[in-house]
Amino acid sequence: MRTQLLVFALVVLMVLPLQTGLAAAQGESSNPLELSINDLGYGDITLSGMYGTASIYVPYQSNWLMNTGAQVSLDYAASPLLIESRSSLTVFANGVEVASLRPAAPGDGAFYETVSFEVPMAQIQGAGLTLRFQGYFRLTDDPCEETNNPAQWLKIAGTSFVRFGGTEDAQHPSLDALPQAVIVQDAWADPVPVVFVLPDASDDAALTAAARTAARLGQGDRSAAPPFDVVRAADLTDDLRQSANLVVIGTPENQPLLDALDLAGDGVDPAVQIQASPWNPTRTVLSIVTPDADGLDDVAQILWANVPLPVSDSLLASDPPAASLVPGAPWSGDVTTFAQLGDRTRQVTGIGIFDEYYYFRHPPGWVFDHGAQITLNVSGSPALNERESYVSIFANDHFVGSVRTGGDEGFRTSSFDLPVAALNENAYGGRPQDLVLHLVIANLLEQNVCDVINPDSVWTRISIDSYFTTPHLYLTLPDLQAFPYPFVSDEESTPTTIVLPLGATPDEIRQGLDLAATLGHFATQPLDVRMVTAPDEASSALAGSHVIVVGTLDRNPLVGEALRDLTTIPDDEVARALDDPARGILREAPSPWSDKHVVLLVYAAGEAELDDAVRALTYAAPPVQQPGSAAVVEPGGEVRIVYRSNRSTPHSRPGEVTREPLVEEPSQWIIITAILVLTAAAVAGVLLVSRWRSGRSGS
């Protein structure tokens, strides 16, 4: 018996580690996660009218594998005038009914009633969960009851929530899935960290390779500020190996981490490769590897060109993809469709008046020119009352136009001029780069129809082939409100060089990568970004490119060099603000190293203030809502324009400024000399003409 017990114990001890290893390989199970409607950014949701309807969309974290159903808990309040026996609320999950209830009045004097139900696992597949709430609200038993009485309502509180369960999925990454394969999208809780692992002594080639990789990752990321971190190879901890997605850059000689990776050709051929992490199969490792440091810059060009990457786990530098724009890139022509902007055909179903919002962003630096239009392709249900149903268009809260829907015509195409003056500059002098399209959609029927109507038969559809026609000009420079223009533009790309301090620390490299990712996020053309440490001969190294200089005053000598060459600010109060050591500083000006380019100085006296200044650019591009070329970043993160680097004209409109040109104006003595020369020439011309006439009259 003792022998049997001993054998059983040995078997258990052998099997238990095996089961633990299998669980790790399949992804560790997570605790159930609750996401409230408030967390998703919707707030309270109100269903209005007899057939009130609304929906929310819950995107799944991109590395999440659903393996259980979801629990939904709704806190709702209904109109006290509703007839409970005739009214109902039905919930659809990804188009399938999952629950129905009779709206009940809450007890004990409470305002909200709570109801819970389950969404089966079969209905939570795909990239996200759409919950649609369809109401049927009755006030009377009259078959001819009006359908839009204000008392027909139900409110779903923002505290309502969805509880998910699942695991992080084991990775099978491919280069064509960048950046999602490295930057986890739609993170529900803390984002998965992305750690750049660089050689212990990173030269300019390694820094440029890292910057171009960051720009590529930022290009397709849904946020402008990916959660980057930077460590040297010798400082990579076991915890980071297990928890982070890694970007490994280097050569076999200076990057010891490469020994643990299964690389094609053992790193002999310059290549970009991606694979599941050998330390955690739910994480990925993106590596940029060359036999020697000179090739790092070449292999990184595979990433910075903003071209489609192949469905593969590796790509050699000798066989890069064709350097061309992604077909149908938004804003790449005079016409841009909603489809190019990543939107979808939207259908608003139900009876009532609804709001639909589109959030677009035009390329940095654009100013809409006369003739800019929006063309809306709309189709409506034949059941709609053509005299009362419509779609009204507002752009940045400015009315654009309306189109009737319904009737026998069905599909309608209508073009409207955009209010370019209002879109280019708001009442406070700001030049918004966002374009918020608000559609008010009225789906209305004849009020005297007594037949029972299926609400799904009443709809208006906005097609994705609706489009913008966008003739445009460009903002004049320097202007922080145009950022990230001119470092990013829809015109042919001009190189941008990010300059870090000599011997840049991991934190300083991270700041440079954050800026590179921000530029990539807004790029519509192939982006040529470089990252170097402060060169000895700046005039030759930085000529021919825009420049972003980052660092504290004591760490980056190029900050002081540039400040000495810039125009002195003739305002003592502004100068004191720019010299305040407790603030970060943003200053844009004509480049002292090239008369055709711009320099942006991002500096401070201390490291914390410098980090605030970098965050101002990466978390809220543009960082300011007023035109100007010099700004201070307060300790709390507020950015305040203190100087406009230009002269206001005496009769300018409020908020209008005359910006200084990139080429300096001639000095006053040159202007005075030119005037005197022209005057003397004119006098001499008059005398010659007089003599000629006198000679003719004498003859």
Side-chain angles (χ1 to χ4, degrees):
M1 184 67 179
R2 290 181 179 178
T3 303
Q4 292 175 337
L5 290 174
L6 180 59
V7 171
F8 178 75
L10 289 173
V11 171
V12 170
L13 290 174
M14 293 174 63
V15 171
L16 186 58
L18 178 61
Q19 290 178 333
T20 303
L22 288 174
Q26 294 171 358
E28 296 182 0
S29 179
S30 299
N31 293 324
L33 178 68
E34 289 185 3
L35 293 174
S36 71
I37 293 178
N38 286 331
D39 293 335
L40 297 167
Y42 288 96
D44 294 346
I45 297 173
T46 300
L47 282 61
S48 302
M50 181 183 290
Y51 302 106
T53 185
S55 63
I56 62 172
Y57 178 69
V58 187
Y60 300 150
Q61 185 167 306
S62 60
N63 69 335
W64 205 255
L65 178 65
M66 296 297 179
N67 55 18
T68 65
Q71 299 290 326
V72 179
S73 178
L74 296 183
D75 298 328
Y76 73 89
S79 168
L81 302 183
L82 296 182
I83 300 178
E84 183 177 344
S85 62
R86 298 290 309 276
S87 302
S88 65
L89 173 66
T90 299
V91 183
F92 297 77
N94 285 343
V96 177
E97 301 95 329
V98 293
S100 290
L101 60 101
R102 298 285 187 191
D108 300 327
F111 185 69
Y112 286 106
E113 179 76 5
T114 299
V115 61
S116 300
F117 55 89
E118 181 177 356
V119 178
M121 183 176 173
Q123 305 320 132
I124 62 170
Q125 302 305 308
L129 174 64
T130 298
L131 291 177
R132 184 165 73 90
F133 308 101
Q134 179 65 62
Y136 180 63
F137 306 137
R138 296 299 301 266
L139 302 175
T140 71
D141 291 323
D142 186 351
C144 294
E145 180 179 340
E146 58 187 323
T147 58
N148 284 294
N149 191 301
Q152 297 163 321
W153 61 266
L154 182 142
K155 178 183 289 186
I156 299 172
T159 54
S160 304
F161 63 84
V162 185
R163 182 185 293 119
F164 294 98
T167 60
E168 290 185 315
D169 193 11
Q171 298 298 300
H172 305 283
S174 178
L175 288 175
D176 71 304
L178 289 178
Q180 288 81 359
V182 174
I183 300 178
V184 173
Q185 307 292 305
D186 301 311
W188 287 340
D190 295 331
V192 174
V194 177
V195 178
F196 280 72
V197 185
L198 300 181
D200 291 343
S202 296
D203 58 12
D204 289 352
L207 293 177
T208 293
R212 289 175 169 173
T213 304
R216 181 65 188 227
L217 295 179
Q219 177 198 8
D221 184 40
R222 293 182 190 137
S223 63
F228 291 155
D229 200 358
V230 176
V231 299
R232 296 188 176 97
D235 299 329
L236 183 66
T237 64
D238 289 338
D239 180 62
L240 285 178
R241 291 175 194 252
Q242 292 283 338
S243 63
N245 289 334
L246 305 180
V247 180
V248 180
I249 296 175
T251 70
E253 286 73 24
N254 62 22
Q255 184 53 269
L257 205 65
L258 299 179
D259 293 337
L261 302 177
D262 183 18
L263 298 176
D266 295 326
V268 174
D269 296 318
V272 175
Q273 302 188 52
I274 192 168
Q275 63 191 93
S277 171
W279 304 285
N280 182 347
T282 67
R283 298 291 183 261
T284 60
V285 178
L286 176 67
S287 55
I288 291 87
V289 185
T290 60
D292 52 68
D294 293 337
L296 281 175
D297 184 63
D298 294 334
V299 72
Q301 291 186 28
I302 296 173
L303 293 173
W304 71 261
N306 285 13
V307 297
L309 294 175
V311 183
S312 172
D313 59 0
S314 65
L315 186 62
L316 300 180
S318 58
D319 190 24
S324 60
L325 282 176
V326 177
W331 312 115
S332 58
D334 291 336
V335 171
T336 297
T337 67
F338 287 14
Q340 290 174 289
L341 293 168
D343 214 278
R344 65 191 191 280
T345 293
R346 301 198 191 185
Q347 179 166 308
V348 177
T349 303
I351 302 172
I353 299 177
F354 306 90
D355 296 296
E356 279 289 309
Y357 289 90
Y358 297 77
Y359 298 93
F360 301 132
R361 185 183 180 98
H362 60 71
W366 267 26
V367 177
F368 289 113
D369 201 0
H370 295 293
Q373 289 187 326
I374 180 173
T375 299
L376 215 60
N377 293 325
V378 181
S379 54
S381 165
L384 293 174
N385 182 346
E386 188 176 7
R387 295 192 305 275
E388 298 184 8
S389 300
Y390 58 86
V391 175
S392 288
I393 309 167
F394 297 83
N396 290 1
D397 292 330
H398 296 280
F399 178 70
V400 175
S402 294
V403 55
R404 292 289 184 189
T405 56
D408 297 331
E409 290 188 32
F411 190 84
R412 288 179 169 87
T413 296
S414 301
S415 297
F416 304 93
D417 290 333
L418 291 172
V420 295
L423 295 181
N424 288 336
E425 182 174 353
N426 61 31
Y428 305 100
R431 294 185 176 273
Q433 297 183 22
D434 293 319
L435 182 60
V436 180
L437 202 63
H438 174 201
L439 303 186
V440 178
I441 300 173
N443 290 347
L444 302 176
L445 303 178
E446 295 285 354
Q447 292 296 306
N448 59 350
V449 175
C450 300
D451 297 333
V452 176
I453 298 172
N454 181 351
D456 289 341
S457 67
V458 181
W459 50 266
T460 297
R461 188 177 297 131
I462 311 298
S463 175
I464 58 171
D465 58 4
S466 300
Y467 60 90
F468 293 99
T469 304
T470 51
H472 57 275
L473 307 171
Y474 294 88
L475 288 170
T476 51
L477 298 170
D479 190 349
L480 287 170
Q481 193 180 207
F483 182 83
Y485 177 78
F487 311 101
V488 169
S489 174
D490 67 323
E491 298 178 301
E492 185 176 350
S493 177
T494 298
T496 293
T497 304
I498 300 172
V499 184
L500 303 180
L502 288 168
T505 66
D507 274 346
E508 290 168 338
I509 296 173
R510 173 188 54 79
Q511 291 166 346
L513 295 182
D514 286 346
L515 288 169
T518 300
L519 299 184
H521 181 73
F522 294 109
T524 57
Q525 290 278 349
L527 181 66
D528 186 357
V529 60
R530 305 163 188 166
M531 190 159 71
V532 302
T533 55
D536 294 331
E537 297 293 335
S539 57
S540 59
L542 302 179
S545 77
H546 298 302
V547 181
I548 302 177
V549 183
V550 186
T552 56
L553 291 168
D554 62 334
R555 290 275 299 146
N556 197 330
L558 236 59
V559 175
E561 179 180 330
L563 288 174
R564 287 192 297 271
D565 290 337
L566 298 185
T567 305
T568 302
I569 296 177
D571 189 317
D572 293 339
E573 184 177 351
V574 170
R576 284 194 298 272
L578 296 178
D579 291 337
D580 188 342
R583 295 184 171 109
I585 306 297
L586 306 175
R587 186 169 179 190
E588 188 173 297
S591 172
W593 305 292
S594 172
D595 59 1
K596 296 180 180 179
H597 298 92
V598 165
V599 63
L600 171 60
L601 303 180
V602 187
Y603 68 98
E607 294 180 1
E609 292 75 20
L610 176 62
D611 211 43
D612 288 340
V614 173
R615 288 175 180 272
L617 292 170
T618 57
Y619 281 81
V624 294
Q625 300 304 314
Q626 292 289 320
S629 59
V632 296
V633 183
E634 305 290 352
E638 178 187 357
V639 186
R640 180 166 55 87
I641 286 289
V642 294
Y643 182 65
R644 292 191 174 155
S645 178
N646 45 52
R647 296 173 300 280
S648 296
T649 57
H651 305 291
S652 62
R653 294 181 290 108
E656 179 181 305
V657 291
T658 305
R659 295 164 178 78
E660 72 177 2
L662 289 178
V663 180
E664 294 185 4
E665 294 179 356
S667 359
Q668 291 185 358
W669 70 268
I670 294 178
I671 298 175
I672 294 172
T673 302
I675 293 174
L676 292 175
V677 170
L678 292 174
T679 303
V683 170
V686 170
L687 292 175
L688 289 173
V689 171
S690 299
R691 289 181 179 179
W692 178 73
R693 288 180 175 176
S694 300
R696 290 195 62 181
S697 59
S699 62

